Amino acid sequence: MWIRSTMAYRASFAMTTIANFAVTGLDFVAILLMFSRIDVLGGWPLPEVAFLYGLSCVAFGLADLAIGSMERLGQRVRDGTLDTLLVRPAPVLAQVAADRFALRRLGRITQGALVLGYALGTVDIAWTPLKVLLMPVIVLSGAGIFCAVFVAGAAFQFVAQDASEVQNAFTYGGTTMLQYPPTVFGKELVRGVTFLLPLSFVNWLPAAYLLGRPVPLGLPRWVAFVSPLVAVACCALSGLAWRAGLRSYRSTGS
């Protein structure tokens, strides 16, 4: 329904998609401006940073396209409109994710894919069949991890009700952090996004293997292949959190 509504005004859709493309591209423009003054950032040259940026942006863009509307759950909890979703013969999670589905978010995915294509064309990677197969796995696993963060953040809004910005700190803030090398952050932060909120499995750990760089925190190189398992575990845990939050929902008060 939302896609048909969007495509009814094709010029508007084109303009909003281009605007989304341009606005999200400003993040990479900031990186380019930094590299106009420096040669490396945290020991990483521009092509390798672009590789991190592209992986993070595409993975997050896919998650944002599929399930980004979850951040609006707090508003539905506050005004009681979540009740209308509970009586429909469809999973509430799917209904919330599809609410106001924004096809314009394809602009972020396109922009990230272009940067990733540039990085793959310029970065020095000793390609093997295993590394080639790992590339799509990294992107899909990263999207799964971000989807889990979106759902967990929505589950938290059952309790906090007005916590969309808290959720955004881990979703939009998380993808922005992953666009930069782990060497520019403190070890405590890197440990936190590896063992507590495992965002580093989106790109930092697998990218270190692909680029032949030391794995952050001195972890073994095989952790680059753990991303799919981490994504599955994160989705399972966020699903449990969602079910617990939905059971605790008691509609709005007066």
Side-chain angles (χ1 to χ4, degrees):
M1 182 188 71
W2 286 109
I3 292 175
R4 291 181 64 184
S5 171
T6 299
M7 299 309 293
Y9 302 93
R10 295 179 184 270
S12 175
F13 165 70
M15 288 187 290
T16 54
T17 303
I18 292 171
N20 184 265
F21 177 96
V23 170
T24 57
L26 291 176
D27 290 338
F28 190 64
V29 171
I31 294 174
L32 292 176
L33 290 175
M34 281 191 287
F35 275 95
S36 68
R37 300 297 181 186
I38 59 176
D39 294 324
V40 294
L41 179 63
W44 294 57
L46 177 59
E48 295 183 353
V49 174
F51 186 64
L52 292 179
Y53 177 95
L55 286 175
S56 173
C57 196
V58 173
F60 178 78
L62 292 172
D64 191 34
L65 176 67
I67 207 168
S69 298
M70 299 295 295
E71 65 183 11
R72 297 192 183 92
L73 180 69
Q75 178 63 40
R76 283 192 172 276
V77 171
R78 289 195 303 275
D79 59 24
T81 56
L82 183 64
D83 293 2
T84 61
L85 306 185
L86 295 174
V87 297
R88 293 175 181 169
V92 178
L93 179 61
Q95 293 184 69
V96 175
D99 184 37
R100 298 187 178 276
F101 182 80
L103 200 59
R104 68 178 184 276
R105 291 169 177 159
L106 286 172
R108 179 189 292 273
I109 300 173
T110 303
Q111 182 263 331
L114 289 175
V115 175
L116 183 58
Y118 155 76
L120 290 173
T122 56
V123 76
D124 185 19
I125 297 179
W127 289 107
T128 64
L130 184 59
K131 289 184 177 181
V132 172
L133 291 174
L134 186 60
M135 277 297 301
V137 173
I138 295 173
V139 174
L140 294 177
S141 298
I145 292 172
F146 275 123
C147 282
V149 177
F150 270 113
V151 174
F156 177 67
Q157 293 193 55
F158 280 112
V159 178
Q161 297 187 7
D162 190 11
S164 60
E165 293 306 318
V166 175
Q167 179 177 346
N168 290 342
F170 293 98
T171 52
Y172 292 94
T175 188
T176 300
M177 179 188 66
L178 295 176
Q179 293 168 5
Y180 296 88
T183 50
V184 303
F185 301 102
K187 286 188 176 181
E188 292 76 13
L189 178 60
V190 177
R191 289 192 184 98
V193 296
T194 300
F195 300 111
L196 297 179
L197 183 66
L199 293 177
S200 63
F201 288 89
V202 173
N203 64 350
W204 281 354
L205 298 179
Y209 168 79
L210 290 173
L211 298 172
R213 284 188 163 272
V215 180
L217 304 176
L219 295 173
R221 299 184 70 80
W222 54 261
V223 296
F225 302 93
V226 180
S227 293
L229 298 178
V230 172
V232 171
C234 288
C235 288
L237 291 174
S238 65
L240 292 175
W242 171 261
R243 290 174 64 86
L246 193 59
R247 281 200 218 74
S248 68
Y249 176 67
R250 295 293 181 270
S251 190
T252 186
S254 60

